[in-house]
Amino acid sequence: GAGVSQSPSNKVTEKGKDVELRCDPISGHTALYWYRQSLGQGLEFLIYFQGNSAPDKSGLPSDRFSAERTGGSVSTLTIQRTQQEDSAVYLCASTPDHLNAAFFGQGTRLTVV
Amino acid sequence: GQQVMQIPQYQHVQEGEDFTTYCNSSTTLSNIQWYKQRPGGHPVFLIQLVKSGEVKKQKRLTFQFGEAKKNSSLHITATQTTDVGTYFCGGPTTSGTYKYIFGTGTRLKVLA
């Protein structure tokens, strides 16, 4: 597609439920990132995929968070047993390589009630 | 770990006034990129600086990359209400997995 696509755009879930967030990067971009942004805050790095290398998971806040990227394209961020503090906008970005500009998706606004 | 700080955190200006945000990294950067996020939107790439001491201009916006490649600034001349948003600097780390990290952002409000 023309840009980074994320789905759903909004997700409301009950505390304790699992959620899956999807990111479809720009075709041909080898690098894919997930960030979390709480209201009025900065961009918190979560995880980074680069080609076939092992992902950099150093930003994942707990073992309830996991992500995978299948076939070097679509990525899914999974949050298990959601907590209220997980409420935030989850942003995905892709780049052609690690030295170029990042293109962001519109984000998924997650609300845990 | 590598950290990128931005100051100020918030800035309110009257329309027509100038505005500057500063970006400081704890380590040398390969390059620096600037992004703008409008309220309710997602970050959008503005510009990339690569060379030490580099200066680039986009209309009323002037971007600088420090000589040591550890700091950068964004200056807006004669702000307009369309400049409202949060400005982030960021870029790839110079070692390890080269992941992108971003500054804390500066939120700009322009009063008409």
Side-chain angles (χ1 to χ4, degrees):
Chain A
V4 178
S5 177
Q6 290 187 247
S7 61
S9 54
N10 281 285
K11 176 72 177 179
V12 180
T13 190
E14 291 181 350
K15 179 181 171 181
K17 294 282 179 69
D18 298 351
V19 295
E20 281 190 354
L21 313 180
R22 177 189 168 106
C23 172
D24 207 334
I26 293 173
S27 179
H29 281 194
T30 60
L32 185 149
Y33 304 78
W34 284 98
Y35 296 91
R36 179 169 69 175
Q37 188 173 37
S38 300
L39 187 63
Q41 300 300 308
L43 300 166
E44 178 188 3
F45 168 79
L46 296 178
I47 189 168
Y48 163 47
F49 297 89
Q50 172 61 58
N52 296 319
S53 302
D56 180 341
K57 304 179 182 180
S58 59
L60 295 178
S62 78
D63 59 8
R64 297 186 295 104
F65 288 72
S66 62
E68 57 180 28
R69 188 180 185 191
T70 53
S73 181
V74 172
S75 177
T76 302
L77 176 69
T78 301
I79 308 174
Q80 296 178 311
R81 305 180 303 281
T82 51
Q83 304 295 313
Q84 287 184 331
E85 61 263 29
D86 300 334
S87 296
V89 175
Y90 289 81
L91 289 159
C92 173
S94 71
T95 76
D97 60 53
H98 71 274
L99 291 177
N100 281 287
F103 293 86
F104 284 82
Q106 301 281 356
T108 293
R109 182 176 299 278
L110 175 67
T111 304
V112 182
V113 298
Chain B
Q2 183 168 349
Q3 292 184 327
V4 181
M5 301 298 294
Q6 278 182 256
I7 53 171
Q9 188 175 5
Y10 301 98
Q11 184 80 58
H12 293 184
V13 298
Q14 286 291 138
E15 189 173 22
E17 290 182 342
D18 293 354
F19 159 76
T20 304
T21 173
Y22 299 92
C23 175
N24 297 291
S25 171
S26 58
T27 60
T28 303
L29 302 168
S30 303
N31 61 65
I32 190 89
Q33 294 153 17
W34 285 91
Y35 295 77
K36 178 183 178 180
Q37 184 176 26
R38 294 181 185 274
H42 60 280
V44 175
F45 172 74
L46 293 176
I47 206 162
Q48 176 174 292
L49 303 166
V50 179
K51 299 176 184 175
S52 170
E54 188 170 10
V55 177
K56 285 189 176 180
K57 291 191 175 184
Q58 283 182 350
K59 298 182 180 178
R60 294 179 295 104
L61 277 61
T62 302
F63 304 83
Q64 285 190 306
F65 200 11
E67 293 291 338
K69 300 184 76 172
K70 293 179 72 173
N71 49 56
S72 181
S73 65
L74 158 59
H75 179 82
I76 303 178
T77 303
T79 54
Q80 300 175 358
T81 54
T82 52
D83 296 326
V84 165
T86 301
Y87 292 85
F88 291 98
C89 62
T93 57
T94 53
S95 61
T97 60
Y98 303 104
K99 65 175 181 273
Y100 270 57
I101 57 173
F102 287 90
T104 45
T106 295
R107 188 183 300 177
L108 174 64
K109 278 196 171 181
V110 180
L111 307 172

